[in-house]
Every structure is written in C-alpha cells, then in structure tokens.
Amino acid sequence: KPLGYYAVGFYNGLDPSDYFVFDGSYAKLKELSVHYTFMSDQLGRIGLGKVPSIRLGLIGRNLITITDYTGLDPEVSGLFGDPFQVKMDWFQYPQFRTFSAIVEITF
C-alpha cells in the first residue's frame, strides 16, 4: 500500500476503518449438565438402604465453540463495561472450560 494510506487512514484514530473488522458469529455450548438420582431401593443393594436418595451429577461449561473468528473467543466485551468499547477484542482471557461434579445426599 502507498505510504499515504498508512500515514492518513490506517493510523488515524479519527478516520473510520474496517481493516480490523472480523465476522464474530459463533455457536457455543455454554453449559451441559447430567444428573442421576439413586433411590433408596437402589441404594439398599450396596448397603445404603437407610439413605432416602443420592443425586450425582456432572456439569460442563463452555464445552464447544463453533466459529471462524481468529481471536481467542468471539464472545468478547469491552473493558469494565465501557459503552464505547463494546464488542471489541481487548485481549482478555477467553472464558474457561470447566468441569464440576455434585453429590447431594438426602437424609
């Protein structure tokens, strides 16, 4: 590109440019949880018949993201809720993929 492009349009913050605009569309599996409750008749088979129920579960968050976005995470927001920086990728950490387990025992 000619030098005039970089001197005037590319680095001039007051001149609008779409050079760094990317398609940020995405589909994401935000949360998936699977739970199973063991009732007292099932628990009696393993010697826990006095316990009315036990519920076990697994929870996964941010499991799958389908996108052509080249940044870390297409689900971005501005710094500290600044309304002038909405939908700009300011290099914050992407949302973590987490796995959790639960155990609920009814007495």
Side-chain angles (χ1 to χ4, degrees):
K1 299 240 178 205
L3 181 61
Y5 174 81
Y6 294 103
V8 177
F10 190 69
Y11 290 110
N12 186 354
L14 300 176
D15 189 19
S17 172
D18 63 352
Y19 185 79
F20 293 107
V21 175
F22 297 101
D23 180 12
S25 59
Y26 66 96
K28 184 179 274 196
L29 179 59
K30 290 286 284 184
E31 183 169 330
L32 177 68
S33 62
V34 178
H35 302 271
Y36 186 79
T37 303
F38 295 94
M39 300 309 291
S40 61
D41 58 336
Q42 295 170 316
L43 295 171
R45 297 179 197 149
I46 59 170
L48 296 173
K50 294 186 179 187
V51 177
S53 67
I54 295 178
R55 183 176 181 218
L56 301 176
L58 294 172
I59 303 166
R61 291 187 176 90
N62 298 314
L63 298 176
I64 300 170
T65 303
I66 301 168
T67 185
D68 290 332
Y69 182 70
T70 58
L72 293 175
D73 190 354
E75 193 172 359
V76 297
S77 62
L79 294 173
F80 310 112
D82 186 349
F84 297 107
Q85 297 178 354
V86 174
K87 298 184 180 179
M88 295 181 76
D89 192 349
W90 289 102
F91 308 108
Q92 68 267 23
Y93 286 112
Q95 297 183 19
F96 296 108
R97 179 176 297 134
T98 60
F99 298 97
S100 305
I102 66 161
V103 177
E104 294 178 359
I105 302 172
T106 305
F107 293 98

